[in-house]
Amino acid sequence: MAMQAEAKPLIERYGLQNIEGFFGEVPTELYRGIIAGKELCIVTLGRQHGVDLVGCEAATLATTLAINMLHPDMIINAGTCGAFKANGSEIGDVYLSEGPVMFHDRRIGDDPLGIQSLGNYPTYDAHQMAADLRLKLGKCTTGSSLDCLDEDLAIIKREGGMLKDMEAGAVAFVASVYKTPLICVKSVTDLIDGGEKTIDEFRRNLSMASNALRDACTKIIQYLFVDQPTLF
Ligand code: ADE
């Protein structure tokens, strides 16, 4: 998870303990607990210069360290996102990732097939889980900005992107390198085609969307730890 505001409701839900200094001088933070006999770790990106880190650089660092130091059976990249009302999305909707995670703001001239620029790193097939838990499915698309340039929008539309965030692509890249299964869980804070300035809508809905994220993640953890314990 990226920001503390996104992770706090879930950390409190399970009473997870902050393991201070676990990642040494790196700002990445670890919260840990035992749920139904299994270990649940929440890793957040931490803070630098007095603000919460967001984005691909910190997500790459955190995911690499988490995989190497915690050896997870699976990764859940849980966070908030922008979505499109044209796709029927509403504020507070929670989605599971469908298909590969792409990047929408990497324009590399000599990459005719888009392999390097889009990335398209795999995720675990969450169709059954989404049906069982009544969660929506959508393709995650990642960039380094909260706002959306026309060039980005054209790529998102062309490739069928539905959930725009700032970390999933980086987490999915690292998970693919280490062959660790990944599911993204994304809660909608803002509608990119809704007409409002994204940062204002994001700030207004962050707390509500983070509570919706907690509720969905609680269902997913129950599903993976208790109801379907042989999946991973
Ligand atoms: N996180 C929440 N809303 C977002 C948006 N519109 N773009 C990127 N990341 C986001």
Side-chain angles (χ1 to χ4, degrees):
M1 304 184 78
M3 299 168 70
Q4 191 66 19
E6 293 170 311
K8 193 165 178 265
L10 193 59
I11 291 167
E12 289 179 352
R13 163 71 181 76
Y14 289 108
L16 303 182
Q17 191 193 349
N18 182 9
I19 314 295
E20 274 178 44
F22 185 82
F23 295 107
E25 62 205 303
V26 177
T28 307
E29 289 189 2
L30 173 64
Y31 299 82
R32 207 171 206 178
I34 302 294
I35 313 299
K38 299 194 183 196
E39 187 170 23
L40 174 67
C41 295
I42 294 186
V43 172
T44 60
L45 303 187
R47 292 168 70 80
Q48 192 182 38
H49 306 316
V51 294
D52 278 12
L53 285 162
V54 296
C56 290
E57 295 81 359
T60 300
L61 188 55
T63 310
T64 305
L65 285 171
I67 290 177
N68 280 286
M69 295 175 73
L70 299 168
H71 308 289
D73 295 315
M74 80 162 310
I75 296 175
I76 297 175
N77 170 227
T80 55
C81 71
F84 296 90
K85 68 175 187 199
N87 292 331
S89 298
E90 293 180 18
I91 303 293
D93 279 353
V94 181
Y95 285 81
L96 300 183
S97 46
E98 182 173 42
V101 182
M102 64 177 243
F103 283 102
H104 57 253
D105 64 354
R106 299 203 302 199
R107 287 170 280 273
I108 306 169
D110 191 17
D111 181 26
L113 301 179
I115 293 168
Q116 181 67 232
S117 40
L118 295 172
N120 270 331
Y121 310 109
T123 59
Y124 178 79
D125 182 348
H127 282 87
Q128 188 61 52
M129 188 189 296
D132 291 344
L133 300 181
R134 295 174 193 282
L135 294 168
K136 295 183 169 188
L137 285 157
K139 183 172 170 75
C140 294
T141 180
T142 296
S144 290
S145 300
L146 190 75
D147 68 6
C148 193
L149 301 181
D150 289 345
E151 291 90 329
D152 300 337
L153 197 55
I155 293 172
I156 292 172
K157 282 198 172 149
R158 187 188 75 208
E159 300 295 327
M162 284 180 63
L163 313 168
K164 176 178 174 285
D165 85 336
M166 295 178 67
E167 289 89 17
V171 177
F173 164 67
V174 178
S176 75
V177 168
Y178 288 102
K179 300 183 177 50
T180 305
L182 165 74
I183 298 176
C184 304
V185 186
K186 298 286 160 182
S187 180
V188 177
T189 48
D190 50 86
L191 296 169
I192 296 155
D193 53 351
E196 187 175 347
K197 205 171 158 205
T198 300
I199 185 64
D200 296 339
E201 201 175 13
F202 171 75
R203 285 200 181 117
R204 195 177 65 249
N205 294 319
L206 178 59
S207 170
M208 184 272 250
S210 299
N211 288 337
L213 185 64
R214 170 202 57 208
D215 295 344
C217 287
T218 302
K219 288 204 278 180
I220 292 165
I221 289 163
Q222 166 75 20
Y223 187 81
L224 292 173
F225 281 23
V226 181
D227 300 337
Q228 305 281 342
T230 55
L231 268 188
F232 294 97

